[in-house]
Amino acid sequence: PQVCWLAPEQTAGKQKPYMYTQGQAVLNRSFFPCFDTPSVKCTYSASVEVPEGFTAVMSATSWEKQNDNTFVFKMSQPIPSYLIALAVGDIVSADVGPRSRVWAEPCLIEAAKKEYDGVIEEFLAVGEKLFGPYVWGRYDILFMPPSFPFGGMENPCLTFVTPCLLAGDRSLVDVIIHEISHSWFGNLVTNATWGEFWLNEGFTMYAQRRISTEVYGSAYTCLEAATGRALLRQHMDNTGEDHPLNKLRVVIEPGVNPDDTYNETPYEKGYCFVSYLAHLVGDQSKFDAFLQAYVNRFKFQSITADDTLGFFLEYFPELKQKGVESIPGFEFDRWLNTPGWPPFLPDLSPGEQLMKPADELAELWAADGLNMEAIEAVDISAWRTYQLVYFLDQVLQKSPLPEGNVERLSKMYPKISKAQNAELRLRWCQIILRNNLEAEYSKVKDFLHSQGKQKYTLPLYRAMWSGSEPARALAMETFSATAPQLHVNVRNYVKKILGLE
């Protein structure tokens, strides 16, 4: 199950087959014999022989091509087995920075180079300033074929990402900050068990938002964090707050695949807990210094939440004296072992200055008689991705809008209705379906034909299937045309939604 074999039609170039591996959480055992647990770290080397005209790449610190078709790799730093990854296909590379290159199929390489030239080094440099040295040597990105079902996988030295990040206008480049942040949190300091996945993801969300604040400012970062909080709210509403998976320390029973416990909680509730620790310290630069000391203390190790929190109290003895670990309602034990909404939420009010105009504009578009004067007075040309996403989320919540409003909105903002940015396309397609806008169904179809990312594909099939007859017909028609290019897991999830099981 770990090795994905793609037929040519599942690639961007459609000429040659492709294969890649996806090890997280416990699938690498099906690829090579290993201790398939994040509690064990090792170095590795590999020799990979490929057919003529193919290139192999791995998550390794060094590699060389030995003769025409053998590639030799070496990872000189100890890593958990889930981070060992291989891809083979018709792939080429281009430099985009002093220690970074992009890899992609030939038909995508120009777009990848244009999108990421000079970008990665800036993010890496900020990460090093905040969290200490980047120890992995190179930071390369491999743009996967469109059927890759995930946003990104932080394989060290070579992050695998969805080609959906190639928006053509750099409007999604900041998505890579999350994967870069894993270079310190997850790859360097690793959760010892999948039951404490928040140690990887909660700290990475915090680190991502620290880098983003340095690069883009706190208003934009708070807006992005508000989008994350909304996803957590949605998840907890769907599952019920007291669901056992909605705590940070999850009990994974023997025989349960850790992947089946995956959800928003370790990311966003984990982020809230790390933010709470920062709040206890009360001084950003002191907390930044703690994070650097934490990475330095536990680098190349696998640790538990007890290790993390023990080190936190040891680093701040004055907080330990105050007994901060047992403040009623905010006990560390409660954070870890009680399901439900986070007891502490970081202040996202700096984002208000970006949210308020988006909220007000959505209100205007949801009105019965459109006040075009007020609408035209709002200039959205300078709005960045998450402000537009936030606006569209509000429009979606208010949908269906009064007759004719969505058509006018579509004409008024080609920046949205004709966007190549996948986050905007997803929301626009959801708005089209919620408002039964059959004239724009082709946009839904085009988007589903262009990529197979799980996060985009499943919500659209759910929306079509719960919609009108023509929407259900669109779902069936699109699925029968695109099924061969989807990842097998995504294909099975869609079948469930459409009742084809």
Side-chain angles (χ1 to χ4, degrees):
Q2 201 271 1
V3 183
C4 302
W5 301 95
L6 304 183
E9 62 265 28
Q10 290 172 296
T11 68
K14 309 219 181 297
Q15 300 300 308
K16 293 182 179 174
Y18 196 104
M19 72 78 73
Y20 68 89
T21 67
Q22 169 61 31
Q24 197 176 11
V26 290
L27 291 176
N28 265 344
R29 60 188 73 183
S30 71
F31 169 40
F32 60 93
C34 59
F35 294 108
D36 203 358
T37 160
S39 64
V40 176
K41 292 189 172 185
C42 62
T43 56
Y44 81 88
S45 59
S47 165
V48 183
E49 195 179 322
V50 300
E52 192 67 42
F54 285 81
T55 298
V57 290
M58 287 191 84
S59 54
T61 39
S62 70
W63 67 279
E64 53 175 316
K65 192 172 178 182
Q66 287 213 327
N67 53 30
D68 285 347
N69 51 3
T70 300
F71 294 82
V72 176
F73 301 93
K74 205 181 207 146
M75 170 47 92
S76 54
Q77 319 273 29
I79 57 171
S81 57
Y82 75 87
L83 290 174
I84 298 176
L86 163 71
V88 178
D90 181 10
I91 37 188
V92 292
S93 70
D95 286 324
V96 291
R99 47 185 161 171
S100 302
R101 57 174 82 94
V102 288
W103 295 85
E105 294 179 60
C107 61
L108 288 179
I109 196 71
E110 271 316 303
K113 183 174 177 5
K114 211 171 103 193
E115 201 89 354
Y116 279 89
D117 210 1
V119 170
I120 294 169
E121 188 56 35
E122 179 187 11
F123 297 153
L124 281 175
V126 175
E128 288 192 297
K129 189 181 90 182
L130 290 170
F131 315 121
Y134 177 78
V135 303
W136 307 101
R138 298 200 62 83
Y139 185 89
D140 290 1
I141 303 181
L142 171 64
F143 287 90
M144 302 297 281
S147 58
F148 186 60
F150 313 99
M153 180 58 214
E154 66 273 11
N155 303 312
C157 308
L158 184 67
T159 288
F160 289 15
V161 296
T162 169
C164 294
L165 295 191
L166 301 176
D169 56 4
R170 296 198 163 184
S171 56
L172 284 176
V173 293
D174 55 343
V175 173
I176 206 69
I177 299 177
H178 181 85
E179 310 308 334
I180 286 174
S181 300
H182 272 305
S183 308
W184 293 273
F185 304 97
N187 295 5
L188 194 51
V189 180
T190 309
N191 49 229
T193 71
W194 292 118
E196 294 192 327
F197 187 44
W198 78 273
L199 288 173
N200 278 16
E201 294 301 347
F203 274 89
T204 295
M205 292 306 290
Y206 188 86
Q208 166 200 322
R209 288 169 182 156
R210 277 298 291 123
I211 294 175
S212 171
T213 300
E214 296 286 307
V215 178
Y216 300 117
S218 65
Y220 185 68
T221 303
C222 288
L223 179 64
E224 184 275 323
T227 313
R229 187 180 294 178
L231 286 174
L232 180 65
R233 183 70 271 169
Q234 209 179 342
H235 160 71
M236 289 207 177
D237 288 345
N238 288 344
T239 56
E241 277 195 25
D242 51 2
H243 193 286
L245 289 183
N246 293 338
K247 52 188 185 185
L248 293 180
R249 188 182 271 152
V250 176
V251 180
I252 302 179
E253 299 292 348
V256 171
N257 182 343
D259 273 346
D260 295 338
T261 67
Y262 180 89
N263 66 69
E264 298 294 338
T265 303
Y267 291 81
E268 294 296 343
K269 190 175 179 177
Y271 165 70
C272 290
F273 189 22
V274 180
S275 302
Y276 175 65
L277 298 177
H279 164 77
L280 289 174
V281 174
D283 176 320
Q284 187 66 60
S285 58
K286 278 187 182 163
F287 192 71
D288 288 347
F290 159 74
L291 288 177
Q292 238 183 83
Y294 168 73
V295 168
N296 194 41
R297 167 74 175 78
F298 295 113
K299 59 180 186 240
F300 302 118
Q301 296 179 47
S302 300
I303 63 171
T304 64
D306 294 339
D307 297 323
T308 300
L309 298 170
F311 181 70
F312 175 77
L313 294 171
E314 183 187 311
Y315 188 87
F316 295 110
E318 66 282 12
L319 292 179
K320 185 174 183 167
Q321 260 174 334
K322 276 199 212 156
V324 292
E325 70 276 23
S326 48
I327 297 170
F330 301 96
E331 301 89 347
F332 288 1
D333 184 74
R334 176 183 167 174
W335 273 104
L336 293 174
N337 298 311
T338 307
W341 194 243
F344 170 89
L345 295 171
D347 172 23
L348 303 181
S349 59
E352 290 292 339
Q353 53 171 289
L354 298 174
M355 285 183 229
K356 204 164 169 269
D359 276 324
E360 288 166 356
L361 186 60
E363 281 292 339
L364 289 169
W365 279 106
D368 267 332
L370 288 179
N371 179 349
M372 289 316 288
E373 199 180 331
I375 287 173
E376 280 158 11
V378 184
D379 176 17
I380 69 162
S381 62
W383 289 14
R384 297 197 40 245
T385 299
Y386 280 101
Q387 196 171 8
L388 292 166
V389 160
Y390 182 82
F391 165 66
L392 291 178
D393 281 343
Q394 303 315 305
V395 170
L396 183 62
Q397 274 174 19
K398 298 174 195 309
S399 291
L401 302 187
E403 192 74 32
N405 286 17
V406 181
E407 287 89 334
R408 295 200 56 182
L409 191 147
S410 172
K411 282 198 184 72
M412 173 115 185
Y413 304 134
K415 175 180 180 169
I416 289 172
S417 57
K418 294 193 163 76
Q420 284 309 297
N421 175 317
E423 292 290 328
L424 299 180
R425 287 176 83 178
L426 166 67
R427 270 112 185 148
W428 186 242
C429 289
Q430 287 173 308
I431 288 168
I432 288 169
L433 293 165
R434 184 82 52 90
N435 288 278
N436 251 332
L437 198 61
E438 286 183 44
E440 299 220 358
Y441 274 7
S442 61
K443 290 197 169 139
V444 180
K445 193 162 105 180
D446 292 347
F447 186 43
L448 288 169
H449 274 263
S450 74
Q451 55 77 42
K453 187 178 164 183
Q454 189 169 312
K455 179 184 158 192
Y456 301 145
T457 303
L458 302 186
L460 289 179
Y461 276 103
R462 285 192 198 104
M464 287 187 279
W465 203 242
S466 62
S468 61
E469 267 314 306
R472 293 178 81 140
L474 177 71
M476 284 303 206
E477 174 205 337
T478 308
F479 181 61
S480 66
T482 58
Q485 71 192 37
L486 292 174
H487 184 276
V488 58
N489 294 359
V490 179
R491 196 181 311 155
N492 290 335
Y493 289 140
V494 176
K495 278 184 177 167
K496 265 200 187 107
I497 293 168
L498 304 183
L500 298 171
E501 285 293 84

